[in-house]
Amino acid sequence: NSAFMAFLVAGMLMGVVYQQMYNSLSVYLRDNHGIQPSGYGFLLTASAVVVILFQFSVTRIIKKKAPFLMMAGGTLFYMLGFSMFGFVKAYWLFVAAIVVITIGEMLVVPTSQTLAVNFAPEEMRGRYMGMFGIVWMIPATIGPGAAGVILDNFNPNLLWYIGGVLCAVSALGYYILHLKIGHQERFQPQIDEANPQLS
């Protein structure tokens, strides 16, 4: 299924960038901006608070929208948020970047899981979901090492510029999938049959 493979590739590009939040970001902030582990911990706490406050509301909204467009939109939030780390220097702007990334996460995570299920023929759902797991495993394997090479040998800000480019390519991939197969019934927003309006 070429469309599913394109979906996986777009997810892996995005995933390589997303992984940086949990490994290289703390090192980058410490070595280049003097931010101690407690400051990095607060960034993750801010992300968790945003999810707790808004995830259910966001999920109710996005299930009414075209899923590939939600993936593209969420990935553009990743692009903006991760790119900010290469441009800004004030701590409150790092917090703002994390909030932007978290908004993207609230769009991407539930939508990607739903799409992976919808791609799969019912009798092959387990196999498709296993393949979908690669979207997270491969980036978790190669992301930290690749980031280390950049941080050790090049301008550290380059890590975030490259991340922004990868997210832009990923978002474009999701948008093309929307144009190519987004009209198919299995990829349409959820509808409550008891109520002709979108649930």
Side-chain angles (χ1 to χ4, degrees), residues 75-152:
T75 306
L76 289 176
F77 274 104
Y78 283 168
M79 180 190 75
L80 175 60
F82 283 106
S83 295
M84 285 177 66
F85 289 117
F87 291 100
V88 304
K89 296 181 179 179
Y91 182 77
W92 73 270
L93 288 173
F94 294 137
V95 177
I98 285 291
V99 171
V100 170
I101 291 167
T102 304
I103 293 171
E105 183 180 10
M106 290 190 293
L107 296 176
V108 163
V109 173
T111 307
S112 63
Q113 293 170 345
T114 300
L115 279 170
V117 171
N118 290 344
F119 265 110
E122 188 170 349
E123 69 277 8
M124 298 179 66
R125 190 157 290 168
R127 185 176 301 177
Y128 272 65
M129 292 307 292
M131 289 290 292
F132 177 64
I134 293 175
V135 169
W136 304 110
M137 288 187 292
I138 291 181
T141 301
I142 67 174
V149 170
I150 294 172
L151 292 177
D152 290 343

Side-chain angles (χ1 to χ4, degrees), residues 4 20 29 48 62 69 75 78-79 81 94 133 146 157 159 173 176 181 186:
F4 185 62
Q20 305 311 318
L29 292 176
I62 64 176
L69 288 183
T75 306
Y78 283 168
M79 180 190 75
F94 294 137
N157 293 334
L159 175 64
I176 291 173
I181 63 172
R186 57 182 169 161

Side-chain angles (χ1 to χ4, degrees), residues 7 10-11 14 68 71-72 75 170-179:
F7 172 71
M14 173 190 67
F68 288 114
M71 291 298 295
T75 306
S170 176
L172 178 60
Y174 289 127
Y175 182 67
I176 291 173
L177 284 170
H178 169 72
L179 296 178

